Amino acid sequence: MNKQSLLIRTKNFSLRIIALAEEMLKKKGVSRILADQILRSGTAVGANYRAACIAKSAKDFLNKLKICEEEADETVFWLDMLIESGTIRAELLYNLRDEASQLTAILTASIKTKKLHMQKKDNFSEKASH
């Protein structure tokens, strides 16, 4: 997946999370509290990926990607809590939860790839200097 596609995908994910939170905020009780949690983590995925795309260095990019991964995984957690607590029926969240899981997997793979590229570059630089 290229950078532009992932920018669009994470933004669309954030928009879907906003719509979910809006619906949850119409209810009383725990739904309102959970809406705040999922809104924060779910929208942070797109915001932090956007920040990663303008990172100042490879290390900065990697750190921002790690934040994206953490936020995506946290969103999976909150979606699971909504389902398992019976707050929202599972079938209503299936696609959103699947997207959160896919984004987590994509970001995890991207982190591994970036670390590998950074290692190779460091090894090449080290060999070149000897």
Side-chain angles (χ1 to χ4, degrees):
M1 171 161 288
N2 67 31
K3 177 175 85 170
Q4 192 61 34
S5 295
L6 197 52
L7 274 167
I8 292 167
R9 192 165 170 179
T10 57
K11 183 178 182 180
N12 287 337
F13 178 73
S14 295
L15 291 169
R16 290 174 66 195
I17 290 292
I18 290 168
L20 172 63
E22 289 269 321
E23 286 302 312
M24 292 172 65
L25 287 169
K26 293 176 184 176
K27 299 178 181 181
K28 293 183 180 181
V30 73
S31 290
R32 297 178 70 79
I33 295 164
L34 293 176
D36 186 53
Q37 293 292 336
I38 202 164
L39 185 61
R40 290 174 192 266
S41 65
T43 56
V45 177
N48 283 296
Y49 186 71
R50 185 178 172 120
C53 290
I54 59 167
K56 305 297 182 228
S57 67
K59 278 187 171 184
D60 187 32
F61 176 75
L62 186 60
N63 287 331
K64 285 178 171 52
L65 268 189
K66 287 178 184 177
I67 293 168
C68 294
E69 176 193 38
E70 291 169 6
E71 296 293 350
D73 185 60
E74 181 180 337
T75 304
V76 170
F77 172 80
W78 291 120
L79 290 167
D80 285 345
M81 291 297 98
L82 290 171
I83 293 166
E84 292 172 28
S85 68
T87 304
I88 298 178
R89 292 191 331 265
E91 59 270 15
L92 296 176
L93 294 180
Y94 176 78
N95 289 334
L96 190 57
R97 195 212 178 276
D98 184 55
E99 179 67 356
S101 293
Q102 286 184 36
L103 287 172
T104 302
I106 291 166
L107 292 163
T108 300
S110 297
I111 289 165
K112 288 179 183 176
T113 300
K114 187 61 177 175
K115 282 182 179 178
L116 186 62
H117 287 183
M118 289 170 69
Q119 256 181 348
K120 285 181 181 179
K121 188 176 179 181
D122 287 346
N123 289 341
F124 179 77
S125 296
E126 192 174 293
K127 287 179 184 177
S129 66
H130 288 287

